[in-house]
């Protein structure tokens, strides 16, 4: 309300100035234009409909500019008055969309054609060559140019913002190195890795818990737990692959290779167990069943409209088997991972009958055997 009243007050001031420096006809036209604009803003404040506002201001503004040609001596003498009409198609496209471009341009062409046809009628009233009129002519050129520049800067800023949001969304879905390759034009991304370590986790008894809780609480609780897992993955430099229901999958060694992929995954597994125990709905802490395995794998991007970075191979299959056969609240590690970490962590051997693989020797991870600071120095020595 205040901005619209201020706009109409400015209209009165413009009318007074025009009366002093130009002539009565131009003063009336300018005052009418700003009063109509202020009224349109008042209506927009009430109904919040942008379309009628833009159409009204464009139509009235173009009409006023057209009528101002007559006291200015026609288009032959007052062509700079019509420079302002270039704002009409620009504003229409910016606020109403590209579909309004052709109608807006057609309206401007019609106004110019009519002005040319009627121009001979005004030849006998040329404007007086005064310094003030020269200033007005300069304003008629610099004003639209400045507004057009401001619109272009605004549009470019929106384009940059949209690109940044798009890139942020892409990075939430894909690793940065993979996203960069997609942006550079690669269509098929598939990489082989000689050794990665994969972790599968599952929240024990979460399905029965979810069946008796409101959906909002279930989703909120799962989101908080997985968000903590995401923070752990970022801290340890691991790559989250996906979540499936209450399951969580993460990999070390892809897409960026690293020599300490196995101990890095086990460090995260221990932290994940601590997170699970920290959450205690109904005074019962969640227990995780975690499986870990190491081996070769293939990773790549699948999908055309919804990209997904996924990983396949023996390590993935074995980690899944380790998770499904683990004891609730434990971290079960395949022999391939144990061989790389036996000197850094404490394990308990276990024989498990794995479907499709027979009886396998696996290991339950107990704790770290050496302090984390020592592990970091060992990693540096190996590299």
């Amino acid at each position: 309300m205040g901005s619209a009243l201020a706009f109409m007050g400015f209209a009165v001031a413009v009318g007074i100035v025009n009366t002093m420096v130009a002539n009565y006809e131009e003063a009336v036209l300018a005052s009418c234009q700003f009063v109509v604009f202020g009224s349109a803003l008042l209506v927009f404040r009430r109904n919040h409909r942008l379309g009628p506002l833009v159409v009204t201001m464009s139509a009235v503004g173009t009409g006023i500019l057209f009528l101002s040609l007559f006291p200015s001596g026609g288009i032959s003498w007052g062509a700079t008055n019509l420079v302002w009409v270039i704002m009409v198609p620009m504003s229409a496209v910016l606020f109403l969309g590209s579909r309004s471009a052709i109608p807006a341009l057609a309206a401007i062409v019609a106004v110019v054609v009519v002005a040319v046809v009627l121009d001979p009628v005004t030849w006998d009233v040329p404007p007086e060559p005064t310094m003030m009129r020269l200033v007005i002519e300069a304003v008629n050129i610099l004003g639209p140019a400045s507004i057009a520049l401001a619109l272009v800067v605004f549009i470019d800023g929106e384009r940059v913002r949209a690109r940044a949001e798009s890139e942020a969304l892409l990075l939430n879905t894909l690793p940065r190195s993979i996203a960069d390759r997609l942006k550079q034009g690669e269509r098929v991304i598939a990489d082989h890795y000689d050794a990665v370590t994969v972790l599968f986790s599952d929240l024990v008894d979460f399905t029965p818990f979810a069946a008796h809780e409101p959906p909002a609480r279930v989703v909120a609780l799962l989101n908080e737990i997985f968000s903590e897992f995401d923070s752990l993955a970022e801290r340890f430099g691991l790559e989250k692959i996906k979540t499936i229901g209450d399951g969580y999958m993460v990999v070390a060694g892809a897409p960026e290779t690293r020599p300490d992929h196995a101990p890095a995954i086990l460090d995260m597994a221990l932290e994940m167990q601590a997170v699970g125990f920290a959450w205690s709905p109904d005074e019962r802490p969640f227990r995780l069943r975690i499986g870990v395995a190491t081996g070769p794998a293939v990773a790549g991007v699948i999908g055309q409209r919804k990209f997904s970075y996924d990983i396949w191979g023996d390590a993935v299959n074995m980690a899944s088997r380790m998770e499904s056969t683990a004891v609730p609240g434990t971290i079960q590690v395949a022999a391939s991972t144990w061989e790389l970490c036996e000197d850094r962590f404490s394990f308990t051997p276990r024989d498990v009958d794995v479907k499709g693989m027979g009886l396998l020797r696996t290991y339950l991870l107990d704790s770290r055997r050496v302090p984390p600071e020592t592990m970091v120095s060992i990693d540096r020595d190996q590299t």
Side-chain angles (χ1 to χ4, degrees):
M1 179 73 71
S3 60
L5 292 176
F7 198 85
M8 287 190 288
F10 178 68
V12 175
V14 169
I16 296 174
V17 172
N18 273 280
T19 303
M20 296 173 60
V21 303
N23 54 54
Y24 176 76
E25 292 85 354
E26 290 181 344
V28 171
L29 291 174
S31 299
C32 290
Q33 180 179 7
F34 282 96
V35 168
V36 172
F37 285 178
S39 301
L41 288 173
L42 283 174
V43 175
F44 171 73
R45 185 174 180 84
R46 292 185 177 182
N47 59 23
H48 298 285
R49 296 178 61 189
L50 187 60
L53 173 66
V54 175
V55 171
T56 299
M57 296 182 74
S58 298
V60 173
T62 303
I64 295 295
L65 290 172
F66 174 76
L67 294 176
S68 68
L69 292 176
F70 290 93
S72 300
I75 195 172
S76 299
W77 296 92
T80 54
N81 285 7
L82 282 184
V83 174
W84 289 93
V85 300
I86 66 173
M87 297 293 103
V88 175
M90 295 183 66
S91 301
V93 172
L94 182 60
F95 295 109
L96 303 181
S98 58
R99 297 176 61 181
S100 62
I102 299 301
L105 181 61
I108 299 306
V109 171
V111 169
V112 173
V113 170
V114 173
V116 171
V117 171
L118 296 180
D119 189 67
V121 178
T122 62
W123 281 352
D124 57 343
V125 283
E128 297 179 3
T130 63
M131 181 58 68
M132 183 54 65
R133 184 167 296 280
L134 180 61
V135 172
I136 293 175
E137 295 296 309
V139 170
N140 283 339
I141 295 174
L142 297 178
S146 301
I147 296 176
L149 178 61
L151 290 176
V152 170
V153 171
F154 171 77
I155 294 171
D156 183 68
E158 291 295 298
R159 177 184 60 82
V160 172
R161 182 183 61 82
R163 178 183 295 179
E165 291 180 352
S166 176
E167 182 170 351
L169 183 61
L170 188 62
L171 291 177
N172 281 337
T173 307
L174 302 173
R176 178 175 291 276
S177 60
I178 300 299
D180 290 340
R181 290 167 63 181
L182 280 176
K183 289 188 293 184
Q184 291 171 3
E186 287 192 52
R187 289 292 173 261
V188 179
I189 295 180
D191 301 307
H192 173 78
Y193 298 91
D194 293 331
V196 301
T197 300
V198 181
L199 177 152
F200 273 97
S201 72
D202 179 74
L203 286 170
V204 180
D205 296 331
F206 188 83
T207 300
F209 166 80
H212 298 89
E213 295 293 331
R217 186 188 180 201
V218 172
V219 173
L221 181 61
L222 202 58
N223 178 64
E224 291 186 33
I225 294 175
F226 283 175
S227 294
E228 292 202 34
F229 289 172
D230 290 345
S231 298
L232 289 175
E234 183 176 359
R235 189 177 64 163
F236 288 112
L238 311 180
E239 188 62 42
K240 171 188 174 182
I241 299 299
K242 57 188 171 183
T243 60
I244 307 173
D246 57 354
Y248 191 93
M249 179 183 178
V250 66
V251 63
E256 305 298 331
T257 59
R258 54 187 297 178
D260 63 336
H261 50 86
I265 280 285
L266 295 189
D267 283 338
M268 178 166 177
L270 291 170
E271 295 287 348
M272 290 174 67
Q273 287 284 30
V275 169
F277 280 108
W279 290 93
S280 304
D282 302 329
E283 299 182 353
R284 292 185 304 168
F286 277 126
R287 293 180 298 168
L288 272 76
R289 199 167 46 228
I290 297 178
V292 179
T294 301
V298 172
V301 176
I302 58 175
Q304 294 295 325
R305 301 182 64 183
K306 293 184 178 181
F307 294 117
S308 175
Y309 183 73
D310 211 339
I311 187 168
W312 308 269
D314 293 339
V316 178
N317 298 331
M318 181 60 76
S320 177
R321 297 288 199 283
M322 292 296 99
E323 180 273 316
S324 62
T325 59
V327 177
T330 65
I331 302 168
Q332 184 164 248
V333 176
S336 56
T337 305
W338 172 82
E339 292 173 357
L340 298 174
C341 301
E342 60 175 321
D343 60 337
R344 302 191 184 194
F345 297 85
S346 175
F347 297 92
T348 300
R350 181 181 184 230
D351 293 328
V352 179
D353 187 8
V354 179
K355 182 178 180 180
M357 297 182 180
L359 188 65
L360 295 180
R361 169 60 60 94
T362 66
Y363 300 85
L364 297 181
L365 176 63
D366 298 326
S367 63
R368 298 183 183 91
R369 180 170 294 173
V370 295
E373 294 80 6
T374 306
M375 294 171 58
V376 171
S377 63
I378 293 174
D379 290 339
R380 290 175 178 171
D381 292 340
Q382 289 184 348
T383 58

